[in-house]
Amino acid sequence: MKKPAALVYGVEESPPLAVTFFNGVQHVGLISINLVYPLLVFRVADTPVQAVANLLAIGLLVLGVATFLQALRLGPVGSGYMCPATFAAGYFPASLLAAKLGGLPLVFGMTIFAGVLETALAPLLNRLRAIFPIEISGLVIFMIGWSAGIAGLRLLLGAQAAPVSVAEWSVAGITLAAMVSFNVWGKGLTRMLCALIGLAAGYVAAGFAGLVDAGQLSAIGAAPWVGVPALGQVSWSFDVALALPFAIACLAASLKAVGTITVCQRMNDADWVRPDMQSATRGVLADGVSTALAGIAGAVGTNTSTPSVGLAAATGMASRKVAFAVGTIFLLLGLFPKLAVMLAVVPRPVVVAALLFAVTFLLINGLQLITSRLLDARRTLTIGLAIIAGGSIEIFPVIAASVPKWASPVVGSSFVFATLIALTLNLLFRIGVKKTVSLKIEAEAIDSQKIDDFFKSHGAAWGARPDVVNRATFGVIQLVDAARGEFWHGGALEIKASFDEFSLNVDLAYDGDALEFPAQRPSNKEIRESENGVRLMAGFMLRKCADRLRSQCKDGRATVHLHYDH
């Protein structure tokens, strides 16, 4: 790998110890906001405070082990990148459903199922790209944020929730305002730790408002400063009706892990061209093993932390040593029971404000992924109808209440229902979409706009990335202009384009001589004095129009092949 100029410390480099430690603290602060997900799941299951504190301490240990698994390369497991673990928002809707239907044993049992399934899916990820395109990945992330945000609001405003007092509204506002303010206007460490600062501010405000009762304070005081959480006190159960919700969450986690590890690859290599699926597969295996361990130990599903990788890119600190620091800090935090109890008794308005802050970024990330592809009517209908279907489940709970019991795990979750609708429509709308299309152009009627429309319309039907379609359009137009006259001897020039989720391939065929595409730039002398100098320079420039390019001529018919990585 060639180290990019913006990177301060690459994956295999060792920063000074103090720099490594303080960067680890930043990542822990960023990841800690996701502790709200297991906390809410435990509360929905009516778990006693002491048990919640013990489970949260176990969860911190799980995050430490999961981070080490991802950063190390142990046999086939581990990407080897600075890619810490976090509790996955993707498992939150399914875990809430399991908590309501069967309590924590069902949550833990189904989490083990999801982890084992992810390890089995890892070698098959390439084949799944066609049925799970990027815009559906974006929909999944969007619906995770939507359903998590609604679940948080129901803690305050739901029919079964206690009435919200003025003090609670005030505390929620202070918590959210602190997080937003430090995130928008803060700099350096204060910006990176905005979530922790907001939680602390909300906790203090709740104390002054009388929202932390004496029993909770006594529980915090009674907890020892140092201690090992009680392991082996969890039980497990399995419900086949929840297999589909957890399978969808598992698939979403797998694809998210691939995306996060791909960002790590690009961050560390200035010459990066395409994802290295070998390291991505190793990373997904580590992710699956970590989730299975989480279920065994008594925690919810884990996943790679995309915000943490974004922080590494922003600071230029991509060293694996930082990941080791993050893992070590999590392991140490898991040995402080007093901290776990403080997390277990976080007041309701503080938890909801923190959750809303976190899901805001999920919603926008999902929308950005959805719009990163060209969308035709089929894909627009797929995404739009899926969002409407998922939103209807949240807005009209009577829909879920009226379905048969066997369908409630699917229809009862807006996230699962929307994803299932999108996958079904995607498979249905693939009928009739041509993967190979062609266009013929006469020498006397060359129309650049016609070529542009050809690629734009079919690129949208394929769901290709706009930048790849634009590169192909520009390259073909330039090649047609270069071939016209001296190389193209007349008749129709045929353009064939094919797409397979991994690449866009374009072939131009015409009657005439083959174009030359030298790998080296011709010298100034060759350009001035050689008859072919200008041609060679044009061919050298055109070579940059595609990731790979070749030409040949047989029986007077010339063919130019352009390949674009997707």
Side-chain angles (χ1 to χ4, degrees), residues 387-531:
I387 290 175
I388 292 172
S392 299
I393 297 300
E394 298 290 357
I395 297 170
F396 305 107
V398 67
I399 297 175
S402 62
V403 300
K405 186 177 180 180
W406 60 267
S408 59
V410 174
V411 184
S413 168
S414 60
F415 158 68
V416 174
F417 190 55
T419 305
L420 191 61
I421 292 293
L423 288 172
T424 303
L425 291 177
N426 178 57
L427 291 174
L428 177 64
F429 288 154
R430 286 168 64 87
I431 299 173
V433 175
K434 295 180 179 178
K435 291 299 180 182
T436 301
V437 293
S438 61
L439 173 68
K440 289 188 177 181
I441 299 175
E442 299 295 335
E444 62 276 6
I446 295 176
D447 185 350
S448 297
Q449 187 60 48
K450 189 175 182 180
I451 297 174
D452 185 77
D453 293 341
F454 170 78
F455 279 102
K456 290 284 175 62
S457 61
H458 291 294
W462 293 330
R465 294 204 322 260
D467 59 314
V468 173
V469 173
N470 290 337
R471 287 182 63 207
T473 303
F474 176 80
V476 169
I477 291 174
Q478 296 300 311
L479 277 168
V480 170
D481 285 341
R484 180 172 51 182
E486 189 173 353
F487 294 94
W488 180 6
H489 297 165
L493 180 147
E494 185 176 17
I495 302 170
K496 285 187 177 180
S498 61
F499 181 75
D500 65 356
E501 292 288 341
F502 298 93
S503 60
L504 174 61
N505 292 288
V506 182
D507 290 302
L508 285 79
Y510 57 89
D511 293 329
D513 301 323
L515 284 159
E516 295 181 63
F517 304 100
Q520 300 295 326
R521 180 188 183 279
S523 67
N524 292 336
K525 182 178 180 181
E526 285 179 300
I527 296 172
R528 288 193 305 266
E529 300 178 4
S530 171
E531 293 182 2

Side-chain angles (χ1 to χ4, degrees), residues 89-135:
Y91 285 112
F92 180 62
S95 297
L96 276 183
L97 194 59
K100 293 175 184 176
L101 295 178
L104 291 186
L106 188 56
V107 173
F108 301 146
M110 298 310 299
T111 299
I112 296 173
F113 164 76
V116 172
L117 182 60
E118 187 173 3
T119 60
L121 283 175
L124 307 175
L125 289 174
N126 271 341
R127 300 181 183 180
L128 292 174
R129 285 181 61 175
I131 63 171
F132 210 100
I134 193 67
E135 66 271 13

